[in-house]
Amino acid sequence: MCRVGRAGRVALVALWLSLMVGCSEKPVGAVVTDTPRREWMSPVTITYTNTDSLAVCNLAIVARVESGLVEKALGLQVCLTAPSGRYFQSEVVLRAERRHSGGSFTELRSGWIEKGQLTEVGDYILTLTPVDTLSGVWSVGADIVDAH
C-alpha cells in the first residue's frame, strides 16, 4: 500500500517538496480515529478533505493514551496519500505534551510537516501503523494548523 517503488520515488519526491514548500497556529482541521485499547497493531486510516490547495500548514501527529503511558514514546509509521495517489511516508515518535485536567489520559504529539502545502483539492488518506504492538492507546490522528 505505502511502498516506495522505483517509479514511485519521483512522485514521492514531488509530494515531499510540495509539502515542504508550499496551515502560525490557526486551526484548519483535525482528523482522529479510535484505536483498539487492548492491543493495537494494525494500520488505521483517516480521511481529510482538503478544500484549499494554496494554504500553507503545519501537520502534527497526535495520540491520546492512558496516563500510565506518559513516560513512554510511541513509534508510528505514517503515510499521507494525496487524491492523485502520490504519497509521503515516514516514521514519527510521539512524546507526552500535556496532561488533561481529568488525569485519565495524556496527549502525545509530534510535529510531522512544517510549512507544507496540500496542493490537491480532495480527500487525503492518512494511514497510521504502530511500529510495535501497543496497548492503552485511545485514539490517533492529526492536527492541521495554518502556518501563516
Side-chain angles (χ1 to χ4, degrees), residues 1-4 8-20 59 61 77-92 111-114 116-118 120 124-128:
M1 237 197 279
C2 276
R3 296 181 191 191
V4 179
R9 287 190 188 121
V10 172
L12 175 63
V13 170
L15 178 62
W16 171 249
L17 289 174
S18 70
L19 287 169
M20 294 312 292
L59 193 146
I61 304 301
Q77 192 69 28
V78 182
C79 182
L80 180 66
T81 306
S84 66
R86 296 184 308 162
Y87 61 88
F88 172 70
Q89 180 176 330
S90 70
E91 189 171 307
V92 299
W112 189 46
I113 296 172
E114 289 188 32
Q117 188 174 9
L118 301 177
E120 298 176 31
Y124 281 78
I125 307 297
L126 182 66
T127 304
L128 302 157

Side-chain angles (χ1 to χ4, degrees), residues 50-70:
N50 185 45
T51 58
D52 185 353
S53 63
L54 300 176
V56 178
C57 54
N58 296 329
L59 193 146
I61 304 301
V62 296
R64 287 191 175 165
V65 301
E66 293 176 1
S67 289
L69 295 176
V70 168

Side-chain angles (χ1 to χ4, degrees), residues 31-33 35 40 44 46 62-64 76 128 137-142:
V31 289
V32 178
T33 190
T35 59
W40 177 38
V44 296
I46 306 168
V62 296
R64 287 191 175 165
L76 297 176
L128 302 157
V137 178
W138 294 6
S139 60
V140 293

Side-chain angles (χ1 to χ4, degrees), residues 3 5 22 28 34 37 45 47 55-56 60 69 90 100 106-110 113 115 123 132-133 141 145:
R3 296 181 191 191
V28 172
D34 292 337
R37 281 193 207 174
T45 59
T47 301
V56 178
L69 295 176
S90 70
H100 294 271
T106 298
E107 184 172 286
L108 305 181
R109 165 179 297 270
S110 175
I113 296 172
K115 296 184 180 177
D123 290 341
D132 298 308
T133 300
V145 296

